[in-house]
Amino acid sequence: MAANVRYRRFDEYDFALFEPTQSTAARKIAPAPKKAKAVRKPKLEIVEKPKKTYEQVKKEMTVTARQTVVAIGLAALFIVMIAMLLVGRFRGDELDREILSLNAQITAAESENVRLNMEIDSVISLKNVEEYAITNLGMVKMEGNQIEYIDLSGEDKIVLSGNKKLNSSNGSVISRVMEYMSK
């Protein structure tokens, strides 16, 4: 600080004139700023607060109490909302785990279903049924000489079982239909 005071008398001079015209690596000294005019400081006055009346103090206390209650209520509401959010997330995670568990059970049941269907197909295969019929039931494969053909080219007629005869005297609808069909 003492050095600053020592060189203040040279603030008005521009020392850039004494520097060589060729550029050098030496640092140039910037010109000193002009002296600013002195600013008059305003005179400070001490102002005293007016004393408050009992009613004003009481009113301020009620306003402050209301603001405190509102702040506490908002804080409680905020805490409740955060708690609800956390409970919702925990419930969502629980449901996700339950879904994963049920999906694993479904996958296991589907694979068991495929295995059982393959087992049923192997038991009911045509080869197994044929082998069971031959060995356990004593059946044999049909041969060509065992086939009987029915000739349906003849005339249509109705034959009653037990040597019964068609009674045409009865005037019922059934008897008329039977008579018509026998012609």
Side-chain angles (χ1 to χ4, degrees):
M1 194 174 215
N4 247 352
V5 173
R6 184 194 276 175
Y7 294 108
R8 281 198 185 189
R9 64 181 177 189
F10 301 112
D11 284 347
E12 297 173 5
Y13 298 108
D14 184 14
F15 290 103
L17 300 173
F18 298 105
E19 293 184 4
T21 56
Q22 297 175 354
S23 70
T24 62
R27 192 172 113 187
K28 291 185 179 182
I29 299 173
K34 306 260 182 199
K35 289 186 178 181
K37 294 181 181 180
V39 178
R40 258 188 170 185
K41 293 183 181 179
K43 212 176 195 185
L44 297 178
E45 294 180 23
I46 297 176
V47 178
E48 292 184 17
K49 283 185 174 180
K51 293 196 177 192
K52 297 179 183 177
T53 64
Y54 176 75
E55 288 81 24
Q56 289 174 334
V57 172
K58 189 174 180 180
K59 188 175 183 181
E60 284 181 6
M61 287 175 56
T62 55
V63 168
T64 306
R66 283 184 192 156
Q67 289 174 347
T68 305
V69 168
V70 168
I72 290 173
L74 288 176
L77 180 66
F78 183 70
I79 289 171
V80 167
M81 287 175 50
I82 288 175
M84 289 175 59
L85 179 69
L86 290 175
V87 167
R89 291 231 176 153
F90 289 141
R91 181 68 180 145
D93 289 343
E94 183 180 313
L95 290 175
D96 286 343
R97 284 191 300 275
E98 188 176 332
I99 287 171
L100 289 174
S101 171
L102 290 175
N103 282 340
Q105 290 177 2
I106 288 171
T107 304
E110 286 174 347
S111 64
E112 179 69 13
N113 186 28
V114 168
R115 186 189 67 78
L116 291 174
N117 281 336
M118 290 175 63
E119 189 176 321
I120 288 172
D121 288 343
S122 69
V123 169
I124 301 180
S125 70
L126 188 58
K127 182 179 178 185
N128 289 341
V129 170
E130 184 178 330
E131 183 179 316
Y132 181 81
I134 291 171
T135 58
N136 294 344
L137 301 177
M139 299 175 119
V140 291
K141 285 191 174 184
M142 184 168 54
E143 296 177 4
N145 62 358
Q146 294 174 327
I147 299 174
E148 290 186 30
Y149 295 99
I150 300 172
D151 183 23
L152 297 176
S153 63
E155 185 179 318
D156 291 339
K157 61 181 179 176
I158 298 174
V159 178
L160 300 176
S161 66
N163 295 325
K164 294 181 185 174
K165 292 191 177 187
L166 186 59
N167 188 2
S168 61
S169 63
N170 192 354
S172 70
V173 175
I174 296 174
S175 62
R176 287 185 198 162
V177 171
M178 297 293 255
E179 192 177 313
Y180 176 75
M181 291 180 73
S182 65
K183 289 182 186 179

